[in-house]
Amino acid sequence: GVDPWLDAEGEREAKNAAAYISSMEDANAIGGSGAIAAVYSSPFLRALQTAVPIARALGLLVRVEFGFCELLAQAWLQDEDPLPALRQRELRNLPFEAQLDHNYKTAVMPVYPEVIGKMIPGDANQRETAIHRHRRAMHAVLAAAGSGSVLIVGHGSTHDFVSAALCPEEHDSVHHTGHFCVPHCAITEFVEEPDGWHMRSFGRTPLDLGFIDVNEVIWLLKLGDPVVRCNALESLGQLGRGGDVRAVRPVASCLKDKKASVRRAAMQALRAIADGGDAVALEAAREAVRRCDCKLRRAALEVLGVADRPLALLGLGLSGVGRQRRTRPTPLGVALAATVAAAVGTAVVLVCLRFGRGRR
């Protein structure tokens, strides 16, 4: 339907998100300028169901703000206007009505449709109406919050349009609606500095939420935004620390990323895997790093508790002058290779030694 309820899995994710946000609020890790003063939600049921346990954990009521509703995209996200049914809904009839702020009046009422057909990333004209709507809603809720922080529960498009409204210079088109959607219960954070709003993180899905799909996180590594890739590596490191070997190889592959920040995040993820001490994951990480041809290979193996052993090339069938001939290893050559291997602890020895002239 146009406004479905969360299924059992969605309800579990919402409870995990509430526990995570509550713990981070206690640690003063969410919100750049003070404790969370208010929780706002889109009027759609799935957003309300997510917002209610979060607000309850924070000791707050949910304010229903139409300015943060789903993108109104005719013939794409909706076949008909959902606003009349949302406006006519009696909030007091909802099972969680006690957790809603019935005195709050929405600051912004959008108009359907905001776009017809699928939204094209980077199309400024097509995106203008939705961005303007979110900008107005943000100005209203921030003015009401005073010096506190606000938490908004919306949709995948909410991350996009709030980012475009607050800090457009930091919001890459790769994250535009129509091309990208954040994972379920992802968190985007903004902090207000003297020179304006800045993005602290975008679409982050912390491991603490307890429902990370490792394949979904691996997919995030393919995106162009280094911040997203670093966040994904942090999650993969924790998954590997817990023994999930699927997270190991993608981490190792990022040791040769072009971005220094991503390479550092990959090293930190390997440290997390090493700290976890899971034997299977640790050996998988060592093997993945050994296969990774990069400058950080030696340092990464040291992090994983093993030295980077050099490759000993003792001979490759060379004889005569200026010509390479096929040769067979002699007993002396094999014995010499074995002796050197035992002395230097080499991992691989290529044995093809022969003294004197080689045979064809």
Side-chain angles (χ1 to χ4, degrees), residues 1-304:
V2 175
D3 188 20
W5 293 81
L6 288 179
D7 59 15
E9 181 67 11
E11 291 180 348
R12 184 182 70 84
E13 292 177 358
K15 291 179 180 178
N16 287 336
Y20 170 75
I21 291 174
S22 177
S23 67
M24 296 301 284
E25 169 72 356
D26 291 340
N28 198 28
I30 284 186
S33 57
I36 296 175
V39 175
Y40 292 85
S41 173
S42 158
F44 283 84
L45 286 172
R46 57 190 184 276
L48 288 171
Q49 283 182 278
T50 304
V52 163
I54 295 174
R56 184 182 295 117
L58 297 175
L60 299 170
L61 297 177
V62 177
R63 298 176 178 178
V64 181
E65 175 53 60
F66 277 71
F68 299 124
C69 77
E70 177 66 282
L71 172 67
L72 301 174
Q74 184 179 12
W76 181 34
L77 299 182
Q78 302 96 17
D79 292 325
E80 59 185 30
D81 186 356
L83 293 176
L86 294 175
R87 286 194 293 261
Q88 294 169 13
R89 174 187 291 148
E90 181 53 61
L91 296 179
R92 295 188 183 278
N93 292 334
L94 295 175
F96 42 75
E97 64 89 17
Q99 201 62 49
L100 304 180
D101 186 347
H102 297 282
N103 294 321
Y104 178 77
K105 302 299 181 183
T106 187
V108 176
M109 183 58 69
V111 177
Y112 180 89
E114 294 174 313
V115 63
I116 297 177
K118 185 174 181 178
M119 182 160 279
I120 301 173
D123 189 327
N125 292 330
Q126 199 183 37
R127 292 168 52 83
E128 181 179 3
T129 301
I131 293 174
H132 179 65
R133 184 243 294 182
H134 284 80
R135 184 181 295 114
R136 290 170 55 209
M138 285 303 305
H139 286 169
V141 302
L142 289 172
S147 61
S149 299
V150 297
L151 191 148
I152 299 163
V153 180
H155 308 270
S157 62
T158 312
H159 293 255
D160 172 17
F161 296 122
V162 170
S163 299
L166 290 182
C167 44
E169 298 299 324
E170 300 177 15
H171 186 46
D172 196 288
S173 61
V174 72
H175 293 150
H176 285 185
T177 300
H179 174 78
F180 172 82
C181 186
V182 298
H184 292 166
C185 287
I187 296 173
T188 295
E189 292 182 78
F190 306 92
V191 60
E192 188 177 28
E193 302 287 357
D195 61 341
W197 285 94
H198 294 279
M199 188 183 299
R200 177 180 288 180
S201 65
F202 183 89
R204 183 177 181 181
T205 310
L207 183 70
D208 307 70
L209 295 180
F211 58 86
I212 286 184
D213 182 343
V214 64
N215 294 320
E216 191 172 67
V217 179
I218 292 172
W219 176 79
L220 292 176
L221 291 178
K222 300 177 182 179
L223 300 179
D225 189 343
V227 175
V228 174
R229 299 211 303 276
C230 289
N231 290 338
L233 283 167
E234 179 183 352
S235 295
L236 289 173
Q238 295 303 319
L239 287 168
R241 179 175 184 168
D244 193 332
V245 295
R246 296 173 298 173
V248 170
R249 183 174 293 180
V251 170
S253 68
C254 288
L255 291 173
K256 51 186 178 182
D257 195 275
K258 294 181 180 179
K259 291 287 186 180
S261 59
V262 177
R263 296 195 297 270
R264 288 194 296 269
M267 287 292 289
Q268 292 171 356
L270 289 174
R271 288 191 181 93
I273 294 171
D275 291 342
D278 183 87
V280 177
L282 193 55
E283 186 53 40
R286 289 168 177 167
E287 181 61 25
V289 172
R290 288 190 186 105
R291 293 174 178 270
C292 182
D293 183 16
C294 66
K295 294 180 180 179
L296 291 176
R297 181 171 177 265
R298 180 184 295 273
L301 284 174
E302 290 177 353
V303 165
L304 295 171

